[in-house]
Amino acid sequence: MPSRPSLFPLSAQDMEGRLTLGSCDAVELAQRFGTPLYVLDEETIRGNARQFRREFAERYPDTSIIYACKAFIHPWVARVLAEEGLGMDAVSAGELFILRQAGFPADKVYLHGNCKTYEDISFALDMGVGRVVVDNLDELELLERMVEGKGKKMRILLRLNPGIDPHTHKFLTTGGVDSKFGFPKPKAEEALREAMKAKNLELTGLHFHLGSSIFEVEPYIQAIESVLGFAHRMRKAYGFILQELDIGGGFAQPYTLDSPSPPLSYYAEAITAHLKQGIEDPSPLLVVEPGRSIISRAGVALYRVGGRKETASGRRYILVDGGMGDNIRPLVYGSRYEAVVAGKLREEATEKVSIGGKFCEGGDIIANDIFLPEVELGDVIAMPGCGAYCLPLQSNYNASLRPAIAVVKNGEAHLIREREKYEDLVRHDICGSLEDIPGQ
Ligand code: LLP
């Protein structure tokens, strides 16, 4: 894949003009498992996890990498990342359930969330998660009450909102002054005092997460300086010792060739350098929470072309059998994607086209004005960068079936999720047929 090196998974290859993923022919995968199909490359997930551990630990040995489950979690992903030595950031009893099903070590799990329910917290306590990252005072009180009588203190971090704009999409910003997440600066001291007073809780550290798809390193540096400054003041005032600093995730990944993201080493270098300058003894554990940057590049969506069209204004569309039901990101965040024709990698990309999904909305366009070779009916379109946040945001819009997921490695492919069946569409409905409708 010489022309698209950074977008496709590590194992992707151009085999005489045909795309292979994990040494499996993409067109054959589409044939065998049906389309739309999400393909995950194991080598990329493991490679990214190792790279994170290496880049940070080389510079700051006391680092823990925890994967943000929200990007995509499945028992298989949990097992692979457990093998790679990562921890987990989970935000709901549902994500915790998946981790527990997978046998993921509970003490390496951090429970996040800005409105944790009673159920979320009790699941977390029963499971024995390692940390709860507290978002607000109501939660602090609830947690304190719920831990009472458990015989063991719950370790917590406070999520601070440093009020820093990370220059990303508005919806992907979580650390700005108006954000609903974390303790706003003027409330941070009160939160810390309350947390230190809580009998059943042990305040081990501080957390911030600025947002997602952050291309710059300056916002991280500003936030680290702000939080370390706060920790210093709290040490003097209350004897608070910062044992852990969790800097969230948010590292950008490339989706198109014209928007390359900085290498991980760039973030790791700047973050650890500033941390080392600002910390006091004992040096805290650094926690990093990548989601997208672990799994985005590992995923490729395969679609089948079902139609082509040229509008009255001359705009050309390739119509495919998926779209906003399996990838809502273009519609929600204006995300841009590239694509290739899986069996025609060596044909010249001469046609400027947009890829329209099959859903009944004008906004269901998953790629705009990209160049492809001449596309024929039945061709397989492969879209890179689909490993993060596509699958978790899927819907059954238009009563579509959520796609299958296949894992590829060393020439072998296996499903980790079947394509949904029509029965799944009514599985939770109370009335299965007209006769069942109450009152009929
Ligand atoms: N930590 C916390 C507390 C988070 O809220 C998030 C993501 C992460 C870590 C991981 O961030 P990442 O490394 O993946 O950027 N649905 C959106 C992304 C929302 C991200 C929410 N929080 C999308 O499709 O782009």
Side-chain angles (χ1 to χ4, degrees):
M1 305 284 300
S3 63
R4 287 180 165 79
S6 56
L7 302 178
F8 277 90
L10 296 177
S11 72
Q13 279 186 317
D14 171 350
M15 295 297 280
E16 290 167 15
R18 294 172 72 93
L19 173 68
T20 64
L21 303 165
S23 304
C24 300
D25 185 280
V27 174
E28 283 171 19
L29 289 172
Q31 198 111 27
R32 179 170 159 205
F33 298 120
T35 49
L37 176 72
Y38 275 69
V39 182
L40 286 178
D41 179 47
E42 182 170 337
E43 185 186 331
T44 306
I45 299 177
R46 289 189 187 275
N48 286 340
R50 283 173 205 176
Q51 198 195 359
F52 257 94
R53 292 193 62 186
R54 197 174 54 243
E55 294 289 358
F56 278 92
E58 233 166 45
R59 298 172 166 93
Y60 191 90
D62 206 5
T63 299
S64 166
I65 308 293
I66 66 174
Y67 170 70
C69 285
K70 55 183 87 66
F72 173 59
I73 192 61
H74 178 288
W76 177 81
V77 174
R79 266 199 300 275
V80 166
L81 293 179
E83 283 167 15
E84 295 301 334
L86 268 58
M88 288 283 172
D89 143 10
V91 292
S92 65
E95 288 185 349
L96 293 175
F97 173 81
I98 296 171
L99 295 177
R100 200 183 64 185
Q101 289 291 99
F104 194 86
D107 59 332
K108 293 178 87 173
V109 177
Y110 284 54
L111 178 67
H112 276 278
N114 68 303
C115 185
K116 299 177 188 72
T117 62
Y118 185 87
E119 204 173 326
D120 292 331
I121 296 176
S122 48
F123 202 109
L125 296 180
D126 289 349
M127 181 175 161
V129 299
R131 306 278 189 280
V132 175
V133 183
V134 175
D135 177 272
N136 56 66
L137 281 179
D138 295 318
E139 180 192 329
L140 189 72
E141 269 177 42
L142 175 65
L143 187 63
E144 167 73 350
R145 263 187 283 126
M146 288 179 70
V147 179
E148 180 85 53
K150 298 266 177 206
K152 198 171 130 202
K153 285 191 176 194
M154 181 72 230
R155 293 183 165 173
I156 63 164
L157 279 74
L158 294 182
R159 176 167 184 166
L160 302 183
N161 178 350
I164 289 164
D165 180 359
H167 305 132
T168 180
H169 189 280
K170 188 173 157 218
F171 299 162
L172 302 182
T173 299
T174 51
V177 274
D178 277 339
S179 163
K180 66 174 181 172
F181 297 101
F183 290 96
K185 268 183 160 174
K187 297 281 178 211
E189 182 166 346
E190 181 190 350
L192 184 124
R193 256 192 279 119
E194 291 301 314
M196 285 185 76
K197 256 197 277 165
K199 287 193 314 293
N200 306 312
L201 309 176
E202 181 192 345
L203 177 64
T204 60
L206 301 172
H207 166 273
F208 66 81
H209 172 73
L210 300 175
S212 199
S213 257
I214 302 173
F215 282 78
E216 302 163 14
V217 81
E218 288 74 19
Y220 290 95
I221 293 170
Q222 286 171 25
I224 288 171
E225 282 175 3
S226 160
V227 172
L228 288 182
F230 172 73
H232 176 70
R233 288 195 301 281
M234 296 304 102
R235 183 176 180 134
K236 284 186 136 173
Y238 309 106
F240 165 68
I241 301 290
L242 182 71
Q243 299 170 46
E244 264 184 80
L245 176 66
D246 183 339
I247 61 157
F251 313 103
Q253 283 290 288
Y255 284 94
T256 55
L257 293 172
D258 60 7
S259 62
S261 57
L264 184 57
S265 55
Y266 170 73
Y267 296 101
E269 181 58 36
I271 287 169
T272 55
H274 276 78
L275 187 59
K276 283 188 254 180
Q277 268 171 31
I279 50 172
E280 299 173 81
D281 260 3
S283 58
L285 170 73
L286 169 64
V287 183
V288 189
E289 297 174 349
R292 192 188 311 273
S293 36
I294 296 285
I295 205 154
S296 169
R297 187 176 169 188
V300 177
L302 300 180
Y303 301 104
R304 181 84 60 187
V305 175
R308 294 155 300 168
K309 149 174 328 180
E310 184 167 336
T311 64
S313 65
R315 192 175 186 84
R316 301 175 80 171
Y317 283 109
I318 300 298
L319 306 172
V320 297
D321 56 0
M324 64 183 281
D326 60 272
N327 185 358
I328 193 84
R329 300 194 65 262
L331 203 58
V332 178
Y333 314 107
S335 310
R336 291 162 56 231
Y337 284 89
E338 304 241 5
V340 297
V341 182
K344 298 180 175 171
L345 295 186
R346 298 207 180 158
E347 289 183 24
E348 215 186 321
T350 48
E351 319 253 317
K352 187 177 172 187
V353 295
S354 293
I355 302 184
K358 76 188 292 281
F359 295 83
C360 299
E361 293 220 14
D364 178 31
I365 308 296
I366 49 176
N368 260 303
D369 295 338
I370 60 168
F371 283 89
L372 292 180
E374 200 175 319
V375 176
E376 289 162 284
L377 213 56
D379 275 347
V380 172
I381 300 288
M383 190 171 268
C386 289
Y389 299 111
C390 295
L391 294 159
L393 289 169
Q394 283 178 350
S395 76
N396 289 114
Y397 187 44
N398 291 169
S400 58
L401 303 176
R402 290 174 211 231
I405 308 171
V407 165
V408 290
K409 187 186 176 185
N410 297 337
E412 301 213 343
H414 67 275
L415 285 187
I416 59 163
R417 181 177 292 165
E418 289 180 350
R419 192 165 101 102
E420 276 182 333
K421 300 186 173 57
Y422 294 117
E423 291 71 30
D424 294 320
L425 297 173
V426 290
R427 187 172 300 281
H428 302 291
D429 294 350
I430 308 296
C431 310
S433 68
L434 286 181
E435 290 84 66
D436 299 335
I437 296 176
Q440 287 277 303

